[in-house]
C-alpha cells in the first residue's frame, strides 16, 4: 500500500463523501459535517449495511486527490496509488535530473525575457 506520506502529499481536499476511482469504494463520513443533502447520510449508511465492501463509513472528513487522472481516497486501502509511489521512488534520480533541467530551462527563459526588457528600456 502507498505510504501515508505519499498520499498526504497528493491529497488536496476533504469532503463528506468521495469515491475512490481505483477500486470503486465510496467512503463517507459518519459525522454529519454539514455537507450532506437531505437524507443522503442515512442512504449511505443503509447502502453500507447492504454492501459493506462498496460503502465504507469513517469518523472523519474524506480526503482525496488525483493521481494519473483518477481520484483516490486518502488511506482507502485499495493499493491503487502504490504503483505511482513506486515509479517515483524507483526513478527518483531521473526525476530529480528532469526537475533540475526543466528549472534551468525556465531560468534561461526568464533571463532572456529580462534581457529583452532591458533592451526595450
Amino acid at each position: 500500500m502507498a505510504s501515508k506520506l505519499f498520499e498526504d502529499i497528493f491529497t488536496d481536499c476533504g469532503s463528506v463523501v468521495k469515491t475512490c476511482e481505483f477500486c470503486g469504494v465510496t467512503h463517507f463520513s459518519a459525522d454529519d459535517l454539514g455537507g450532506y443533502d437531505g437524507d443522503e447520510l442515512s442512504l449511505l449508511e443503509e447502502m453500507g449495511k447492504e454492501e459493506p465492501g462498496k460503502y465504507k463509513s469513517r469518523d472523519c472528513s474524506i480526503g482525496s486527490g488525483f493521481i494519473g487522472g483518477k481520484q483516490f481516497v486518502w488511506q482507502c486501502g485499495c493499493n491503487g496509488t502504490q504503483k505511482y509511489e513506486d515509479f517515483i521512488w524507483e526513478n527518483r534520480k531521473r526525476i530529480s535530473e528532469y526537475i533540475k533541467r526543466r528549472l534551468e530551462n525556465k531560468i534561461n527563459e526568464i533571463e532572456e525575457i529580462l534581457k529583452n526588457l532591458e533592451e526595450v528600456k
Side-chain angles (χ1 to χ4, degrees), residues 58-101:
R58 290 181 159 181
D59 294 330
C60 59
S61 175
I62 311 303
S64 65
F66 284 87
I67 295 178
K70 289 184 176 182
Q71 179 173 259
F72 72 93
V73 171
W74 180 82
Q75 297 291 284
C76 174
C78 74
N79 209 26
T81 58
Q82 181 65 54
K83 68 180 180 179
Y84 296 94
E85 182 176 22
D86 290 346
F87 173 82
I88 291 169
W89 188 250
E90 289 167 8
N91 293 283
R92 63 193 177 274
K93 290 179 183 175
R94 288 184 177 122
I95 291 169
S96 294
E97 183 64 24
Y98 166 76
I99 292 169
K100 177 185 163 196
R101 289 186 193 184

Side-chain angles (χ1 to χ4, degrees), residues 46-69:
E46 187 60 38
M47 289 188 284
K49 290 175 188 169
E50 293 173 13
E51 297 181 79
K54 190 169 178 175
Y55 296 90
K56 293 187 178 178
S57 173
R58 290 181 159 181
D59 294 330
C60 59
S61 175
I62 311 303
S64 65
F66 284 87
I67 295 178

Side-chain angles (χ1 to χ4, degrees), residues 111-121:
E111 287 173 347
E112 186 65 29
I113 290 169
L114 291 172
K115 179 182 165 191
N116 290 336
L117 285 173
E118 286 298 316
E119 289 174 5
V120 170
K121 286 182 183 181

